[in-house]
Amino acid sequence: MSHHIDMEDHNDAEPVLLSKHAKNLLRFLNLLPARMASHDSTRSTIVFFAVCGLDVLNSLHLVPPQMRQDIIDWIYGGLVVPRDHEKNCGGFMGCRAMVPKSEDAEILECMRKYQWGHLAMTYTSLAVLVTLGDDLSRLDRKSIVAGVAAVQKPEGSFSACIDGSEDDMRFVYCAATICYMLDYWGDVDKETMFQFITRSLRYDYGFSQELEGEAHGGTTFCALAALHLSGQLHRLDATTVERMKRWLVFRQMDGFQGRPNKPVDTCYSFWIGASLCILDGFELTDYARNREFILSTQDKLIGGFAKWPQASPDPFHTYLGLCGLAFTGEPGLSPVNPSLNMSMAAYAHLQHLHEQWRSADGRGNEDLSHNDGKPHETQGEC
């Protein structure tokens, strides 16, 4: 039977080095190692892992007030607001390479053609702003959601951006998180999104990245979270849900794997764990064995978690490893909202913003489950 970890009953259990993990993540907000140069175009995702990881560690106080404001301002520096004659390309960019420091109008206009929002970068940027307590008042929410609707494909999936990108379940998830966080769905077609998701359900009851693909743990999370955030999870019948739980539970070896016959990996403690939380099935897992695997990837010298034991830690696996531990009630960690992949404290701030927006719109604080994709508050919590 699964159980929450009680450190008093497990005196011989390896401790989670909370302070070292916090210092490790804080480093990534100050300096990136040369080996991460190839990630420059997705820098906002690194900020997401670091900031949200510190939040889960209850260590956001380590970020000084001025640095916190600098991060917020840097995030807003990547905001794209389309002009009247331009395509619907609102959202956030992942880095500032397309924002030259120049006063030359011709150069600025030329670079403008390459500035557009990216769904993954928009999701992570919004999550960072919410986690840092920003009120999102600098955003044109409708413009951003118009940019989301503009990249939706006829079959219901989404491209990452307006030009030249893949379209698959990852961006379905990002689209759902953006619309949910902004409390506005605009012209996003939730019905075709639902049809794309359900057509991606494979014979073994995991979800594939795209139609006719192989079921995958990360993709299954994206599908289930998108259904939850869009208020459509209830459309899955009970038999299908139970078979999904079975597929997910069978991904546990000690830690979790992403696909059958693949090695376990720290990040799947989140992808699989969060999926089971959304389906109210996380208690079916073996908490202790999962914890043991995650801690086998813990770097005792510099902090952080790695993909596998003896591998180098990175902010991606560090953050998702911490979330996986948070689902088991690990002491010292903040509870995590599985669908949005942020702390429950950040989620509470987001709910407060939603209440303010609805009041300003004259909508009050009514439950918008049926017309605005607002999931019931009790769903999807571990």
Side-chain angles (χ1 to χ4, degrees):
M1 181 179 294
S2 59
H3 57 279
H4 283 262
I5 299 296
D6 186 340
M7 293 304 291
E8 292 183 0
D9 295 336
H10 296 267
N11 293 325
D12 58 342
E14 182 178 351
V16 179
L17 304 177
L18 301 176
S19 62
K20 286 197 174 185
H21 297 316
K23 291 178 182 178
N24 180 278
L25 290 173
L26 191 61
R27 275 186 220 112
F28 286 99
L29 293 177
N30 288 282
L31 181 69
L32 293 179
R35 62 183 171 83
M36 298 190 74
S38 61
H39 295 278
D40 184 67
S41 62
T42 60
R43 191 175 294 192
S44 64
T45 63
I46 299 172
V47 177
F48 167 80
F49 297 131
V51 168
C52 294
L54 287 168
D55 192 24
V56 173
L57 284 162
N58 295 301
S59 297
L60 269 182
H61 63 276
L62 296 177
V63 182
Q66 184 57 55
M67 185 179 185
R68 183 179 296 218
Q69 188 60 50
D70 289 344
I71 293 171
I72 291 173
D73 292 340
W74 180 84
I75 291 289
Y76 276 113
L79 179 62
V80 178
V81 180
R83 296 174 295 196
D84 291 340
H85 64 283
E86 294 175 328
K87 297 178 181 178
N88 284 329
C89 57
F92 288 89
M93 298 180 288
C95 72
R96 307 298 167 263
M98 295 296 108
V99 186
K101 293 184 178 180
S102 173
E103 300 297 328
D104 189 312
E106 185 175 350
I107 292 176
L108 293 175
E109 193 61 31
C110 178
M111 296 302 289
R112 178 72 186 183
K113 299 175 183 178
Y114 301 95
Q115 296 173 4
W116 52 60
H118 185 286
L119 291 191
M121 307 310 143
T122 301
Y123 157 56
T124 51
S125 294
L126 288 174
V128 169
L129 292 174
V130 169
T131 299
L132 291 178
D134 186 69
D135 63 5
L136 306 185
S137 60
R138 293 191 238 177
L139 298 180
D140 182 337
R141 294 185 289 137
K142 292 186 177 181
S143 172
I144 293 175
V145 173
V148 174
V151 296
Q152 187 171 20
K153 300 294 185 178
E155 72 275 12
S157 65
F158 293 80
S159 292
C161 54
I162 201 70
D163 190 22
S165 76
E166 313 103 313
D167 58 281
D168 55 53
M169 198 69 75
R170 295 171 299 174
F171 305 117
V172 173
Y173 170 70
C174 292
T177 57
I178 293 165
C179 294
Y180 179 85
M181 284 195 283
L182 296 180
D183 198 26
Y184 180 69
W185 290 81
D187 292 328
V188 171
D189 190 333
K190 290 193 285 183
E191 178 59 32
T192 58
M193 181 180 79
F194 176 81
Q195 295 302 327
F196 174 79
I197 292 172
T198 53
R199 287 200 307 274
S200 300
L201 183 64
R202 310 317 303 146
Y203 72 93
D204 52 2
Y205 287 87
F207 288 91
S208 60
Q209 183 85 309
E210 52 194 0
L211 301 180
E212 303 301 327
E214 178 186 9
H216 188 280
T219 305
T220 298
F221 163 77
C222 289
L224 291 173
L227 290 175
H228 180 225
L229 294 169
S230 62
Q232 301 186 95
L233 189 64
H234 68 280
R235 297 178 67 179
L236 300 177
D237 64 82
T239 299
T240 297
V241 169
E242 288 306 308
R243 289 173 177 173
M244 289 176 180
K245 288 182 184 178
R246 181 181 186 275
W247 186 86
L248 289 162
V249 169
F250 271 47
R251 301 286 65 77
Q252 183 165 24
M253 304 293 107
D254 44 6
F256 291 90
Q257 61 183 186
R259 290 174 288 167
N261 302 313
K262 294 292 184 179
V264 294
D265 179 333
T266 299
C267 68
Y268 292 105
S269 293
F270 174 81
W271 304 124
I272 302 296
S275 298
L276 283 166
C277 286
I278 292 169
L279 296 179
D280 296 324
F282 188 70
E283 72 280 357
L284 299 173
T285 65
D286 188 325
Y287 293 16
R289 292 188 70 202
N290 181 32
R291 182 182 191 275
E292 183 179 359
F293 172 75
I294 295 174
L295 290 188
S296 73
T297 74
Q298 178 175 238
D299 192 305
K300 299 182 180 65
L301 180 62
I302 64 171
F305 291 99
K307 182 183 182 76
W308 297 310
Q310 283 79 56
S312 298
D314 61 75
F316 172 80
H317 288 91
T318 298
Y319 174 62
L320 296 181
L322 290 169
C323 290
L325 290 170
F327 291 152
T328 69
E330 181 71 35
L333 298 181
S334 175
V336 170
N337 181 298
S339 296
L340 286 172
N341 193 10
M342 62 171 59
S343 76
M344 290 303 294
Y347 176 58
H349 174 59
L350 183 64
Q351 286 182 301
H352 177 65
L353 294 180
H354 287 183
E355 291 171 2
Q356 290 182 326
W357 296 338
R358 291 173 194 169
S359 178
D361 292 344
R363 291 185 288 163
N365 297 329
E366 71 276 13
D367 179 11
L368 303 178
S369 299
H370 300 294
N371 62 6
D372 226 5
K374 177 77 173 177
H376 297 291
E377 303 303 338
T378 55
Q379 285 183 304
E381 294 182 13
C382 270

